[in-house]
Amino acid sequence: MTTVQLNPLFIQKARQIKLLLTDVDGVMTDGTLSFFTDAQGVTREIKNFESLDGMGLLYLAYCGLQTGIVSKGASNTLEFWAKELGMRYLFYNMPVKHRVLDWLLQKYQLVPEEIAFIGDDLIDLGLLQRVGLPLAVANSVPEAKAAALYISSRRGGQAAVRDIAEQILRARGQWDRVVADNASGAFQNPQHELCIVKGL
């Protein structure tokens, strides 16, 4: 990833967060939707994820930050991927995404300043406008970019999440540990129980 000059406000807010949430289509993927019909006649979705994004999310979890997905849709693929990445939360069927924030604040006594969210479209605005650290990707709509404190130079599905994860860890002074632990072999994939919430 390219080293960027970080905004002091971004650094301040990155040091406060405990949880990074991310949208899926257009952020973790390039937004393309692919479907196939299986032998039983059931239509299923295929998602293509960038491996660098996956590693970035693992690095966040390794450094003690919780991570999670917030999606309008539902997919067994998301559940598999969230578990692979050591995520704590998977929110399915969320047409009003900021209800996720309300749920987290009530259930876990978090405050908005402790939560970051990566979004790219209008459906993400409610959450982007309410969290402490709003983030966007290069292909985000103008309204999402306007709400974001940091906009990755990379597009969704092209390591934008990895870029954001790296900038957060640099701001928190944890990136050098990630590099050193990968070089020494000390890095291990974090494992957490996945909390799945369907519809709020």
Side-chain angles (χ1 to χ4, degrees):
M1 301 295 109
T2 303
T3 303
V4 299
Q5 185 67 37
L6 295 174
N7 179 324
L9 184 58
F10 172 87
I11 294 173
Q12 175 191 330
K13 289 183 175 291
R15 289 175 176 172
Q16 291 178 274
I17 64 169
K18 296 180 179 178
L19 169 63
L20 172 76
L21 298 170
T22 180
D23 177 40
V24 179
D25 295 320
V27 174
M28 295 180 76
T29 76
D30 66 5
T32 300
L33 300 178
S34 301
F35 301 92
F36 74 99
T37 302
D38 66 19
Q40 288 72 43
V42 177
T43 300
R44 301 187 183 277
E45 184 179 5
I46 300 171
K47 291 189 181 294
N48 293 309
F49 294 107
E50 165 60 60
S51 62
L52 286 173
D53 286 345
M55 290 307 300
L57 289 162
L58 283 169
Y59 294 154
L60 289 172
Y62 181 71
C63 290
L65 284 168
Q66 298 180 23
T67 59
I69 287 171
V70 182
S71 177
K72 180 177 180 286
S75 167
N76 290 338
T77 303
L78 290 184
E79 186 172 333
F80 168 81
W81 195 228
K83 288 178 179 176
E84 286 290 303
L85 300 181
M87 287 186 157
R88 290 287 182 94
Y89 304 102
L90 172 56
F91 296 95
Y92 276 166
N93 297 327
M94 298 293 167
V96 182
K97 293 189 176 182
H98 69 258
R99 290 178 182 163
V100 167
L101 182 63
D102 298 335
W103 185 87
L104 286 165
L105 300 188
Q106 181 177 8
K107 189 170 180 66
Y108 293 101
Q109 289 74 55
L110 293 166
V111 295
E113 290 74 22
E114 295 172 327
I115 300 174
F117 175 62
I118 312 171
D120 71 310
D121 205 354
L122 298 181
I123 193 173
D124 301 315
L125 287 179
L127 200 43
L128 286 169
Q129 292 171 354
R130 288 169 170 82
V131 297
L133 182 54
L135 305 159
V137 296
N139 52 287
S140 298
V141 299
E143 294 84 354
K145 288 181 177 179
L149 185 58
Y150 176 79
I151 304 164
S152 176
S153 62
R154 293 175 173 264
R155 298 176 60 85
Q158 297 180 10
V161 176
R162 167 59 175 272
D163 169 56
I164 288 169
E166 181 173 329
Q167 305 315 326
I168 288 171
L169 292 173
R170 286 185 183 280
R172 294 166 65 92
Q174 295 176 297
W175 182 248
D176 288 347
R177 175 195 170 197
V178 169
V179 174
D181 286 359
N182 272 277
S184 70
F187 175 82
Q188 294 183 351
N189 288 357
Q191 298 294 322
H192 300 295
E193 184 176 349
L194 181 63
C195 173
I196 301 174
V197 180
K198 299 186 180 181
L200 287 174

